[in-house]
Amino acid sequence: MHGVLRLIQNELSKIYHQMSWKILTLLLLLLSIGAPIMSYGLTGGYDDYDFYANAERYMEDYEEGSVEREYYQTVSEGHHFFADQGFTSDTWQYSTYAEDYIRDLRNIRAFQLFIEGKDVVEIEQYFYIDNVYLTWDDSNKPTLIYWGESFDENDEELPAETAAPGMIGEDGIIGDGGYYEETEVPVTEEIAKKMIERYQKDAEDIKVNVKQTFEEYAKSQIDRYQDRYADIKKAFEAAKTEYEKDKSKLQDYMAVKLVKEGMDIVNEAIDRTDLKSINEDMQNVFAQTLDRAFGMTEEGADFAQISEKKFSDNNDYVYFYGYGYEDYNEYLAAAEQRQTQYYNVVKKYAYSLEHGIPLDDYSISTRRVTEECLQINLSVVMFMAIFMAAVIVANEHTSGAVRLLMIRPRARWKILLSKLCCLLIYTVGWIAATSALSTITNIIIYGGKDMLIPYILVSGGEAFEAAPFLYYLMKMSVYFLPALSMVFLAFLFSVLVKRAVVSMAIPMLINIFGGPASTLFVGKACKACPPLLFTPIPYFQLSNFWCDPLERLYSYGGEAPLDHSMTLEMGVAMFVIYSLILLVAAFVIFKKQQIKN
């Protein structure tokens, strides 16, 4: 063992004294500091508070009466309404109502400017009026078009058509108790006045609501959803009765059942929630989390497509989330798996409400940008590691130094092991150094308060908290593993091919294109050849297994891993096995390799 340590020390020293590696390491460290700074410069921060607070200063850049000045003045008025009452970006009143209040003022002022005859192009460009877009008629005249709730001939809003909450309509959209038939009409002075009245009422309601205590506000939000929950339970009983009479109603019954069971999970968590003990961080995102939690229950109805009648009605072929199923059992398995994933996401939001832990979706800026920077750093580190793996043995052959190594009384496996250990030590060192620098830089720029907030994960159907460091370690390992296997492939090629360029090129190309290419194997290829599921090929995009299942499904479409029962655990196992095979092959080949003079 002493001999191996001496060899490792020699390899580390050899790399350390090469100027090219010193330069690459320095550039890597500068990137780890520069990425957060560039991110901040490009985004200008992660909060609109600074923009709102400085709107009055921006206003001075435009002349009196201009549309631009009116816009910044309106934003400034909205901000000062909250600032004058002592509300800052850290208070729940500001984080909950400021954006909506400023939007209401913005819409009011935009319609007022329209009535005053201001340029409609400038109005639309600066005010971003809700439900209004700009178009040009046949004479090339700009016109504002309103789209949304229908108006009758007297410009009165038509009453909403009713749809039972949780029930799927003919258009496939789940009902929330009512919906409007949309219309598109040119904005007239009469419509503008109606819209001004609507937004003035909304703004006045906000002025009243900000005076509530947090418990009163939270209770009002909960009561709003409790009413929907009561409607869902009634709809469930009705759907259950219909299904018992007519088994072809399975689809509607399952849709409402899924929504009700999701709401059961959320409401049980709310019943255990002590509103008085909710901390400031959770107060700022309480409404968004509550809204998302209940919203997820309704989205879950999309996963209730398990009706055999639906399958037969589609001529033995179902097109579900972008993927076609010809076999009913395969279709049923995919739908049921999605339902399981749906429940897990609902549990995550329910746990957030009950325990007062904000999710990453809202205002968790420091750790979100830190995570992005760590992924960038990791990608660059792995490219450097592939480069080092490609040259660490190949260069010995090119320079002829390998012959000197062989004449020494050292076992070949010890020589190769020392080079592998050197490679891993530098890789781990680069990852640790860049991660530390990026994290520190982000904390300096954005503050470190939210870095201590635990993450919420779901495993085995149960939600639990994960310490931030442990979460980062787990997630970075997911991004790290496929690239690490390419490092070992470059190491094998370095032993086998003895040419650094070849050893480097193939693993780097696979590392770059492996992720996008893996999506081709998730669909028809895996279906046509199931053994592919037991290779690393479909798993090169392991990050797709990490995010929330429903988000992954929406972004990944019908070609989602869920369709083939692929899991993160399977992907990790494939790459561990694959990496071990590559390393064993490298040692076997190096041991039996002939060294020519």
Side-chain angles (χ1 to χ4, degrees), residues 96-115:
T96 302
Y97 292 117
E99 185 177 346
D100 290 341
Y101 183 73
I102 292 174
R103 183 199 62 204
D104 290 336
L105 295 188
R106 195 182 67 228
N107 289 332
I108 291 168
R109 189 59 187 139
F111 283 117
Q112 288 174 342
L113 292 174
F114 171 81
I115 294 174

Side-chain angles (χ1 to χ4, degrees), residues 512-533:
I512 294 171
F513 299 107
S518 68
T519 60
L520 300 176
F521 291 91
V522 174
K524 294 182 179 179
C526 282
K527 185 176 180 181
C529 185
L532 280 174
L533 294 174

Side-chain angles (χ1 to χ4, degrees), residues 22 288 345 382 445 460 486 520 522 549:
K22 289 182 179 179
Q288 298 98 313
V345 177
M382 297 318 295
I445 295 175
M486 291 301 99
L520 300 176
V522 174

Side-chain angles (χ1 to χ4, degrees), residues 482-502:
L484 182 63
S485 69
M486 291 301 99
V487 173
F488 294 148
L489 180 61
F491 187 73
L492 171 61
F493 281 162
S494 185
V495 172
L496 180 64
V497 182
K498 308 174 188 177
R499 293 290 184 271
V501 174
V502 177

Side-chain angles (χ1 to χ4, degrees), residues 9-78:
Q9 183 180 0
N10 291 339
E11 290 295 334
L12 292 173
S13 177
K14 187 189 301 182
I15 297 294
Y16 175 78
H17 286 96
Q18 291 183 27
M19 182 59 66
S20 58
W21 287 111
K22 289 182 179 179
I23 294 174
L24 287 174
T25 301
L26 179 61
L27 291 175
L28 180 62
L29 296 178
L30 291 175
L31 173 65
S32 65
I33 298 174
I37 297 174
M38 290 178 62
S39 174
Y40 183 81
L42 292 173
T43 61
Y46 285 84
D47 203 328
D48 288 330
Y49 183 83
D50 289 339
F51 172 76
Y52 294 155
N54 291 305
E56 191 171 3
R57 180 169 59 82
Y58 302 148
M59 180 180 70
E60 301 300 327
D61 295 334
Y62 300 95
E63 62 183 43
E64 193 74 37
S66 66
V67 172
E68 297 94 332
R69 187 182 180 93
E70 292 287 350
Y71 168 73
Y72 288 112
Q73 183 174 345
T74 302
V75 172
S76 178
E77 289 173 1

Side-chain angles (χ1 to χ4, degrees), residues 323 330 337 518-540 542 545 556 559-578:
Y323 188 79
E330 179 188 3
Q337 190 173 24
S518 68
T519 60
L520 300 176
F521 291 91
V522 174
K524 294 182 179 179
C526 282
K527 185 176 180 181
C529 185
L532 280 174
L533 294 174
F534 302 98
T535 70
I537 296 174
Y539 301 95
F540 264 95
L542 274 181
F545 293 87
Y556 215 27
E559 304 298 324
L562 291 175
D563 290 323
H564 301 279
S565 301
M566 294 165 61
T567 65
L568 177 63
E569 290 76 13
M570 286 178 63
V572 169
M574 290 301 104
F575 281 110
V576 170
I577 294 171
Y578 177 59

Side-chain angles (χ1 to χ4, degrees), residues 163-271:
M167 298 298 290
I168 297 179
E170 293 182 358
D171 55 1
I173 304 300
I174 190 164
D176 61 359
Y179 60 90
Y180 292 89
E181 180 182 354
E182 290 187 353
T183 188
E184 295 188 9
V185 295
V187 176
T188 63
E189 184 173 334
E190 290 74 22
I191 289 180
K193 289 179 180 178
K194 291 288 183 182
M195 300 308 294
I196 288 173
E197 291 177 5
R198 171 193 292 181
Y199 290 117
Q200 284 177 336
K201 181 181 182 303
D202 291 345
E204 290 301 320
D205 289 342
I206 290 176
K207 287 183 177 180
V208 174
N209 291 336
V210 295
K211 297 178 182 178
Q212 295 177 307
T213 64
F214 174 76
E215 294 96 281
E216 292 172 336
Y217 153 74
K219 189 65 169 60
S220 68
Q221 298 295 311
I222 292 172
D223 289 344
R224 182 161 57 93
Y225 285 105
Q226 293 288 3
D227 292 340
R228 293 174 65 181
Y229 183 40
D231 290 337
I232 285 290
K233 289 192 286 189
K234 292 178 182 177
F236 169 72
E237 294 300 328
K240 183 179 179 181
T241 301
E242 288 295 318
Y243 171 64
E244 290 172 350
K245 295 178 181 177
D246 182 0
K247 298 302 181 183
S248 69
K249 300 290 185 180
L250 175 62
Q251 182 181 344
D252 291 340
Y253 168 66
M254 287 300 299
V256 187
K257 179 175 180 289
L258 211 59
V259 175
K260 176 189 173 294
E261 291 178 352
M263 285 193 171
D264 288 341
I265 295 171
V266 178
N267 276 278
E268 288 171 4
I270 289 175
D271 290 341

